[in-house]
């Protein structure tokens, strides 16, 4: 039940965000902790009184423990915690990785704890300087029925939107999340670098291109965003596409294969969406 005492172990980007969101929502967060004692110095004032450097005390205080450590440290942390007691009945342990299931918490589950996954489908890159709001975050959840309904309630209490991740499709779920969260940033960074390398900057400012990005984003929730492509890719304009390839070859040759693959991908996604080829072959 989400009225039970809670603790956050792992005070990185998501751990800090979650701890503060729990407090904001009036939930009973009683302790925060981290492997690194120095993490205490970086805590926001309101979390200071909740700090404990002693894992034993953490588990004495709380019944719900969020393991918000790095993905590759979840299993080891769970095993270390599991070894503190022979019986974890009455405890709930939750991790927040979208890439892994409950198996990482098996050592605790075997000793009686309830376990689950509570994955925020959002990015929290810098909670101290540029905090991202948790409100509106979709939460992907994997848990047995009882805990699933508690985690749904928790997500709603945080102002989020809960949904169940089909456990067998977890890899595809996480693939889409990582692709959508990161690929646009790679393309944006490439665009900025091309502007610098070409010498267009400072006369042509990056902000001008941001208008195009906003237009693309405005179609993100359309059922078929590929229909909103514009420009030479959609017009059979081989000459312009060749000019782009040549310019890219001079400015950032490593990106030429990516450009060619994007053109090909645009074609195949368009075909899949409409059953028609997009402007023929380029
Ligand atoms: N940040 C996001 O946008 C986001 C979004 C969705 C899901 N998540 C999930 O949230 C979890 C935490 O990610 P994060 O982005 O917050 O990571 P992070 O900022 O890199 O923080 C990682 C945390 O893991 C701890 N840690 C690192 N190595 C450890 C070890 N060997 N043993 C114990 N603790 C260790 C660190 O402890 P110290 O403080 O002691 O250094 C730190 O508290 C991950 O499962 C991630 O997949 C994050």
């Amino acid at each position: 039940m989400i009225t039970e005492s809670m603790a956050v172990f792992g005070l990185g980007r998501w751990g800090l965000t979650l701890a503060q969101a729990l407090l904001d929502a009036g939930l009973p967060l009683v302790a925060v902790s981290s492997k690194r004692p120095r993490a205490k110095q970086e805590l926001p004032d309101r979390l200071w009184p909740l700090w404990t450097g002693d894992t034993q005390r953490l588990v004495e205080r709380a019944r719900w423990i969020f393991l918000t450590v790095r993905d590759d440290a979840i299993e080891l942390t769970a095993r270390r915690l599991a070894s503190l007691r022979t019986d974890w009945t009455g405890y709930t342990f939750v991790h927040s990785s979208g890439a892994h299931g409950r198996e990482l918490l098996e050592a605790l589950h075997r000793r009686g704890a309830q376990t689950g996954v509570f994955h925020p489908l959002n990015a929290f890159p810098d909670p101290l300087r540029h905090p991202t709001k948790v409100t509106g975050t979709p939460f992907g959840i994997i848990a047995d029925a009882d805990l699933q309904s508690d985690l749904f309630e928790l997500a709603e209490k945080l102002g989020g939107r809960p949904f169940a991740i089909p456990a067998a499709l977890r890899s595809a779920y996480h693939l889409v999340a990582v692709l959508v969260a990161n690929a646009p940033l790679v393309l944006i960074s490439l665009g900025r670098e091309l502007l610098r390398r070409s010498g267009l900057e400072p006369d042509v400012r990056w902000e001008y291109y941001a208008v195009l990005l906003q237009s693309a984003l405005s179609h993100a929730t359309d059922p078929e965003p590929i229909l909103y492509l514009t420009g030479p890719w959609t017009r059979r304009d081989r000459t312009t596409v060749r000019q782009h390839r040549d310019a890219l070859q001079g400015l950032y040759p490593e990106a030429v294969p990516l450009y060619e693959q994007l053109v090909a991908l645009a074609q195949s996604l368009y075909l899949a969406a409409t059953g028609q080829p997009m402007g023929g072959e380029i």
Side-chain angles (χ1 to χ4, degrees), residues 9-16 33-37 39 42 67-74 76-77 80 95-99 118-125 174:
F9 184 83
L11 297 170
R13 288 165 290 185
W14 170 235
L16 277 175
S33 187
S34 192
K35 188 166 126 298
R36 197 168 41 103
E42 296 151 16
L67 296 184
T68 49
V69 299
R70 255 178 27 202
D71 280 14
D72 60 1
I74 295 171
L76 186 61
T77 307
R80 285 202 179 122
H95 76 68
S96 282
S97 167
F118 187 65
H119 175 240
L121 191 51
N122 198 346
F124 303 92
H174 194 242

Side-chain angles (χ1 to χ4, degrees), residues 172-282:
Y173 160 76
H174 194 242
L175 158 72
V176 177
V178 171
L179 196 66
V180 169
N182 296 293
L185 291 174
V186 174
L187 289 181
I188 289 166
S189 302
L190 177 62
R192 291 204 79 147
E193 185 60 17
L194 292 175
L195 210 61
R196 277 191 287 264
R197 290 191 184 188
S198 64
L200 279 163
E201 239 180 9
D203 293 333
V204 180
R205 288 163 46 185
W206 174 250
E207 293 89 278
Y208 304 154
Y209 288 91
V211 173
L212 294 171
L213 277 169
Q214 275 151 10
S215 161
L217 253 182
S218 72
H219 301 298
T221 53
D222 191 274
E224 299 295 355
I226 198 76
L227 301 184
Y228 296 92
L229 289 182
T230 57
W233 297 359
T234 62
R235 284 196 310 258
R236 253 181 212 266
D237 182 353
R238 295 193 188 99
T239 313
T240 305
V241 169
R242 231 173 269 131
Q243 280 171 5
H244 288 173
R245 266 188 221 142
D246 293 348
L248 199 53
Q249 184 65 42
L251 291 168
Y252 209 116
E254 303 92 310
V256 171
L258 173 70
Y259 187 84
E260 286 170 346
Q261 279 163 12
L262 282 174
V263 176
L265 256 179
Q267 302 267 350
S268 80
L269 287 167
Y270 188 93
L271 185 62
T274 64
Q276 307 284 326
M278 180 181 70
E281 209 178 299
I282 294 185

Side-chain angles (χ1 to χ4, degrees), residues 5-8 23 27-32 49-52 58 61-63:
S5 51
M6 297 177 173
V8 172
L23 288 182
L27 287 159
L29 180 71
V30 297
V32 296
L50 304 183
W51 167 265
T52 173
L58 182 92
R61 285 192 206 167
R63 287 291 172 276

